[in-house]
Amino acid sequence: MRLGVLDIGSNTGHLLVVDAHGGAAPLPASSHKQALRLAEHLDADGAVTPQGVEALTEFCASATRIAEDKGCEEMLGFATSAVRDSVNSDEVLAHVERHSGVSLEVLSGEDEARLTFLAVRRWFGWSAGRLAIFDIGGGSLEIAGGADEAPDVAWSLPLGAARMARAWFGGGRPSEEEIRQLRREIRAEIARDAGNLLRPGVPDKAAATSKTFRSLARICGAAPSGDGPLVPRTLELETLSGWIPKLMDMSDQELADLPGVSPSRTHQIVPGALVAEACMDIFDLPALEICPWALREGVILERLDQISVVTRLH
């Protein structure tokens, strides 16, 4: 069947059209993206601004038309931390549904981590053993770990790259003392529940997914996306730590000229790198393997599992 997956993230709205059936990898057929930057369209009270709501609604309406044109039988729409954490989320969702016809499910942080874990597990398979995954989004950091398809532990922290950029880099480049303070706060937040992941033992494989980690891996020498998803890519802690002081000294234009960096996300590179370094350091991981599958694929795979169960029952 052909599915449309509408992912409303804190940075980007993304419609992914896939051909999918049980037992097979989802095959991308079409992709439509728009930079919404909802994490940065929040007012002082934490509400999505009218401008942000309109941009989201227009994107959802256009995504619906594209999905129909591409022959999608079903549309799975979901939103993550920017909508989840906004004080006017109910009003935002109601406006989107009223004016675009799209009903968005708001995923909890735990569900976001759980579904991302499912995608990474399916990508690497059972040979990965006990698996730990990390996902830096625009609004939040997801961490999960376990030996099965459902993680033993899964949680979300308010350490997304866009959120950090808005809070700490909105007034220009932070001072050295502010960077030290940000670094301390990031590490304290991650370390608070680190034992949840470490208690069962050291993971056999540690993986990272989504745009921030992919960009950092590319900066640190990983193969370009054009080489295809099957090429192994890793992010090494030692290399990343060596890059961070250089990244802090670069202008926006210099950051945009780096491989794998989108011009619209240059301001998120340094905070994202600080979060990534903290994850690897605190969990004593010398490297993370980059997984091309993430939350969207997890949503698709869970839906295919549900369809397979219904089919067998009938």
Side-chain angles (χ1 to χ4, degrees):
M1 68 184 301
R2 179 159 283 196
L3 291 172
V5 183
L6 183 58
D7 175 359
I8 304 302
S10 299
N11 280 309
T12 307
H14 188 177
L15 170 69
L16 181 65
V17 176
V18 297
D19 291 320
H21 63 272
L27 180 66
S30 179
S31 178
H32 172 58
K33 297 180 186 179
Q34 183 176 321
L36 299 175
R37 299 175 75 163
L38 292 179
E40 297 167 42
H41 278 297
L42 298 173
D43 63 21
D45 296 322
V48 180
T49 63
Q51 180 185 3
V53 174
E54 280 307 314
L56 172 58
T57 303
E58 289 173 11
F59 175 76
C60 288
S62 68
T64 298
R65 291 192 295 270
I66 291 170
E68 290 172 354
D69 289 345
K70 297 297 182 183
C72 291
E73 297 178 47
E74 186 178 343
M75 175 100 96
L76 306 174
F78 63 90
T80 55
S81 64
V83 175
R84 178 172 70 233
D85 297 339
S86 65
V87 299
N88 62 337
S89 60
D90 289 343
E91 292 90 339
V92 172
L93 295 171
H95 185 279
V96 169
E97 184 166 11
R98 186 164 60 250
H99 294 281
S100 75
V102 173
S103 177
L104 294 172
E105 177 187 1
V106 178
L107 296 179
S108 68
E110 183 178 340
D111 276 344
E112 204 174 330
R114 177 182 63 81
L115 289 164
T116 302
F117 183 89
L118 172 63
V120 178
R121 166 62 76 193
R122 292 276 178 94
W123 179 267
F124 288 119
W126 295 112
S127 64
R130 176 166 289 280
L131 177 66
I133 68 102
F134 302 87
D135 182 342
I136 302 171
S140 58
L141 163 70
E142 276 66 51
I143 303 173
D148 299 322
E149 287 211 326
D152 300 329
V153 293
W155 74 100
S156 179
L157 297 170
L159 296 176
R163 185 193 295 266
M164 296 286 99
R166 181 173 182 265
W168 290 87
F169 291 72
R173 192 171 298 275
S175 66
E176 286 188 18
E177 178 54 38
E178 287 171 328
I179 289 289
R180 278 196 295 272
Q181 183 183 347
L182 171 58
R183 189 175 182 273
R184 285 196 300 269
E185 291 191 12
I186 289 170
R187 287 170 179 251
E189 186 80 47
I190 294 171
R192 187 172 298 120
D193 294 315
N196 292 342
L197 188 68
L198 296 173
R199 200 165 290 116
V202 177
D204 298 304
K205 184 183 286 289
T209 189
S210 293
K211 177 66 174 177
T212 295
F213 273 116
R214 290 199 307 271
S215 295
L216 292 171
R218 183 74 183 96
I219 290 169
C220 292
S225 58
D227 286 0
L230 300 181
V231 175
R233 295 172 174 87
T234 59
L235 175 63
E236 295 183 357
L237 175 58
E238 184 177 356
T239 307
L240 176 62
S241 295
W243 262 99
I244 287 176
K246 302 175 197 174
L247 296 174
M248 289 180 179
D249 287 339
M250 288 184 177
S251 67
D252 285 347
Q253 185 57 56
E254 288 172 327
L255 289 169
D257 289 339
L258 290 172
V261 177
S262 304
S264 63
R265 296 198 187 204
T266 55
H267 61 304
Q268 298 181 25
I269 288 296
V270 170
L274 291 171
V275 173
E277 182 190 40
C279 288
M280 299 170 78
D281 209 359
I282 287 167
F283 291 101
D284 196 21
L285 300 168
L288 291 170
E289 191 161 348
I290 306 300
C291 178
W293 279 6
L295 177 60
R296 278 186 296 276
E297 286 77 15
V299 170
I300 295 165
L301 292 166
E302 184 172 69
R303 180 63 182 129
L304 290 177
D305 289 349
Q306 293 166 349
I307 293 170
S308 296
V309 169
V310 170
T311 301
R312 285 198 299 271
L313 291 175
H314 289 82

